[in-house]
């Protein structure tokens, strides 16, 4: 598993599923052209770009470039890296017919091709910690969210919604997505403090 510092933005969940088998990184979706009308998701992409840097990895067809160019104009260019997949004819296994331009998308690329695209884009590959006092604190876990009443219990969805509003994050985010973003934007200590504050406000 390749650990990458930057957040990576792809078009859809099948792209995300494919990429998540190769990289350990924050991966977000535009939901195709949905990003054009989703100000909350765009604001989140800007925050992650500022905090960690952003890699745009869209399909190589015309629609992919429309989305890429939109994001290129909406996010400070110095915080964005561009990963490009090659033009490869074909169709993904789950599809009955190839796409409009007959090209494979991100989900149809091999791990080797995706890794090469990320390396060419200048992705920051993070070495796994080897142990010792200088190791970063462990990430927040699903157990931490459960302990804070934000996952898996009565009223957890409402408490999670309150935290999302407070942090100005998209309201449709799942507990897993929230966990990923909290670990991307905050240290463990900062994130735990936010969870505690939210619990006290709810009380």
């Amino acid at each position: 598993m390749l650990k990458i510092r930057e957040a990576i933005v792809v078009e859809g969940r099948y792209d995300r599923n494919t990429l998540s088998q190769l990289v350990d990184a924050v991966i977000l979706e535009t939901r195709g052209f949905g990003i054009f009308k989703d100000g909350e998701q765009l604001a989140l992409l800007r925050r992650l770009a500022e905090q960690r840097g952003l890699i745009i990895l869209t399909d190589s067809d015309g629609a992919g470039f429309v989305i890429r160019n939109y994001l290129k104009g909406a996010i400070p260019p110095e915080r964005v890296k561009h990963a490009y997949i090659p033009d490869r004819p074909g169709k993904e296994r789950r599809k009955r017919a190839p796409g409009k331009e007959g090209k494979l998308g991100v989900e149809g690329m091999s791990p080797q091709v995706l890794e090469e695209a990320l390396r060419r884009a200048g992705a920051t590959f993070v070495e796994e910690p080897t142990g010792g006092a200088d190791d970063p604190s462990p990430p927040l876990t699903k157990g931490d969210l459960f302990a804070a009443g934000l996952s898996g219990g009565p009223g957890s969805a409402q408490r999670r919604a309150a935290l999302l509003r407070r942090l100005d994050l998209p309201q449709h985010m799942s507990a897993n997505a929230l966990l990923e973003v909290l670990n991307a934007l905050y240290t463990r200590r900062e994130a735990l403090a936010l969870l505690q504050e939210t619990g006290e406000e709810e009380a």
Side-chain angles (χ1 to χ4, degrees):
M1 188 71 76
L2 304 168
K3 191 172 179 66
I4 292 178
R5 172 172 172 73
E6 292 90 356
I8 305 171
V9 59
V10 296
E11 291 180 46
R13 62 189 175 101
Y14 293 104
D15 301 327
R16 177 180 177 149
N17 291 345
T18 297
L19 197 58
S20 65
Q21 295 171 39
L22 172 69
V23 301
D24 176 7
V26 177
I27 306 172
L28 296 108
E29 305 162 27
T30 67
R31 293 187 300 283
F33 292 150
I35 190 67
F36 297 165
K37 296 180 180 179
D38 193 341
E40 289 182 331
Q41 184 77 340
L42 184 59
L44 175 56
L45 292 179
R46 286 185 179 128
R47 285 174 69 180
L48 286 166
E50 182 61 34
Q51 192 92 6
R52 306 173 71 91
L54 193 70
I55 297 173
I56 298 175
L57 178 61
T58 55
D59 292 350
S60 61
D61 59 8
F65 273 86
V66 168
I67 294 167
R68 183 186 296 276
N69 289 333
Y70 173 77
L71 293 175
K72 190 188 294 186
I75 298 170
E78 68 276 8
R79 305 301 302 162
V80 177
K81 296 175 180 178
H82 291 272
Y84 296 94
I85 59 171
D87 280 346
R88 295 272 169 84
K91 74 172 185 68
E92 287 77 12
R93 290 179 188 173
R94 68 180 178 85
K95 295 180 179 177
R96 292 183 179 178
K100 188 176 179 182
E101 296 179 30
K103 298 176 183 178
L104 287 172
V106 168
E107 70 167 291
M109 294 291 129
S110 69
Q112 294 81 4
V113 168
L114 291 173
E115 179 179 349
E116 180 61 24
L118 292 167
R119 289 192 183 278
R120 282 200 309 262
T124 307
F125 289 85
V126 182
E127 294 298 323
E128 292 294 338
T130 55
D134 293 330
D135 280 356
S137 60
L140 209 63
T141 67
K142 200 75 175 285
D144 293 316
L145 291 188
F146 179 78
L150 293 164
S151 173
S156 59
Q158 291 89 340
R159 281 189 283 275
R160 193 164 64 248
L163 178 61
L164 290 170
R165 282 193 297 273
R166 180 177 177 194
L167 299 180
D168 200 23
L169 292 171
Q171 288 296 297
H172 62 261
M173 289 182 79
S174 66
N176 286 335
L178 171 62
L179 186 63
E180 196 172 55
V181 169
L182 287 174
N183 280 322
L185 293 174
Y186 305 100
T187 65
R188 177 179 174 81
R189 181 180 296 176
E190 290 169 340
L192 286 173
L194 283 170
L195 298 188
Q196 184 177 349
E197 289 169 16
T198 301
E200 289 171 355
E201 286 179 2
E202 286 290 312

